[in-house]
């Protein structure tokens, strides 16, 4: 069974930093693109970033460029999102998702990030 | 960036109805159009990928169609468990944008 489990969410002050993790099991993690997707309270889905199988290529939505960094450790079957200079508008549930092909076929349960003073 | 226009934003339906949701992209995509279902408090679930391919385990009452810039998700014979919010998403090019969602209630 494929499982994705996020961790690292919590309450952080504006301007602060946070690192999210996603542990993947049940398949050969290193052969898939991975993404982070977020959902602000009561809002729709917003794709945040993705990373190639070997970590050699990354893409970001404009609103997080220069503030967020996606990375992965294939030896640990793990995905990360380093978030800095956090803003109130970054408050959301953050999901990690695995791309089988180009579609996001598997999702974690999400971790809540709240940016507030 | 590719913009996604999904309609309607909400619709009212009954069990047994046929429901159609549309998604329009701001430029032609290579049928890299996916549909997801999300229920409150849950992660999204992939229903359709590549415009018309049914994801494994998804009931056959869900179907997708379209090409170019216009795509459709159809739910035939709506069931009680289908009341949810549906999103389209393009995976043709980064950023991988989502539509605004359609709440079926």
């Amino acid at each position: 069974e494929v499982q994705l489990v996020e961790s690292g969410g919590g309450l952080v002050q504006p301007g602060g930093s946070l690192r999210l993790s996603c542990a993947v099991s049940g398949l050969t993690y290193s052969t898939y693109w991975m993404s982070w997707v977020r959902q602000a309270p009561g809002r729709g889905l917003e794709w945040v970033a993705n990373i190639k199988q070997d970590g050699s290529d990354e893409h970001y939505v404009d609103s997080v460029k220069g503030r967020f960094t996606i990375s992965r450790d294939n030896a640990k079957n793990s995905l990360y999102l380093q978030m800095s200079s956090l803003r109130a508008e970054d408050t959301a549930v953050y999901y990690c998702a695995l791309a089988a092909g180009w579609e996001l076929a598997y999702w974690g349960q999400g971790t809540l990030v709240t940016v507030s003073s | 960036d590719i913009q996604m226009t999904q309609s309607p934003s909400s619709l009212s339906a009954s069990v047994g109805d046929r429901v159609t949701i549309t998604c329009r992209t701001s430029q032609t995509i290579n049928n890299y159009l996916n549909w997801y279902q999300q229920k409150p408090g849950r992660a999204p679930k992939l229903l359709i990928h590549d415009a018309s391919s049914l994801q494994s385990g998804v009931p056959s009452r869900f179907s997708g169609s379209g090409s170019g810039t216009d795509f459709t998700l159809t739910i035939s014979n709506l069931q009680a468990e289908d009341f949810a919010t549906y999103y389209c998403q393009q995976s043709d090019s980064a950023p991988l944008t989502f539509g605004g969602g359609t709440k079926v209630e």
Side-chain angles (χ1 to χ4, degrees):
Chain A
E1 180 191 6
V2 178
Q3 284 195 316
L4 288 76
V5 180
E6 301 95 337
S7 60
L11 175 64
V12 60
Q13 293 189 339
S17 298
L18 208 58
R19 188 196 198 204
L20 306 183
S21 300
C22 173
V24 181
S25 60
L27 43 62
T28 307
Y29 170 71
S30 61
T31 62
Y32 298 96
W33 279 79
M34 295 294 298
S35 280
W36 286 99
V37 176
R38 68 184 179 183
Q39 186 169 35
R43 305 294 297 274
L45 301 171
E46 180 182 38
W47 176 86
V48 174
N50 67 356
I51 186 167
K52 194 176 179 179
Q53 291 92 331
D54 62 358
S56 64
D57 195 15
E58 307 162 19
H59 301 275
Y60 298 89
V61 67
D62 283 350
S63 60
V64 309
K65 282 180 182 175
R67 300 188 301 123
F68 290 11
T69 301
I70 190 172
S71 62
R72 64 191 296 163
D73 184 336
N74 288 342
K76 295 183 178 180
N77 285 4
S78 293
L79 177 73
Y80 307 101
L81 186 67
Q82 179 67 48
M83 304 184 294
S84 60
S85 302
L86 283 161
R87 307 166 180 168
E89 54 264 36
D90 296 318
T91 294
V93 173
Y94 285 73
Y95 297 99
C96 63
L98 181 146
W102 295 110
E103 67 277 8
L104 301 177
Y106 298 98
W107 297 66
Q109 84 288 350
T111 187
L112 176 62
V113 173
T114 304
V115 184
S116 174
S117 55
Chain B
D1 297 0
I2 298 175
Q3 308 303 316
M4 311 290 288
T5 303
Q6 188 175 339
S7 62
S9 57
S10 65
L11 64 89
S12 181
S14 300
V15 171
D17 284 354
R18 181 183 180 91
V19 169
T20 300
I21 299 168
T22 64
C23 186
R24 175 166 290 176
T25 59
S26 61
Q27 62 192 71
T28 298
I29 62 174
N30 295 308
N31 285 0
Y32 291 132
L33 192 286
N34 312 306
W35 292 96
Y36 302 86
Q37 176 194 66
Q38 188 181 32
K39 296 181 178 179
R42 304 290 299 275
K45 172 188 174 183
L46 177 67
L47 299 176
I48 302 286
H49 62 92
D50 300 328
S52 61
S53 296
L54 191 67
Q55 176 70 356
S56 176
V58 174
S60 59
R61 62 181 179 273
F62 291 93
S63 64
S65 64
S67 63
T69 62
D70 293 292
F71 301 88
T72 300
L73 172 70
T74 300
I75 313 170
S76 60
N77 190 21
L78 191 73
Q79 298 298 297
E81 60 266 31
D82 301 335
F83 290 94
T85 301
Y86 295 84
Y87 295 91
C88 59
Q89 181 229 2
Q90 64 83 18
S91 49
D92 182 83
S93 61
L96 307 183
T97 39
F98 285 89
T102 296
K103 187 173 184 179
V104 177
E105 52 192 356

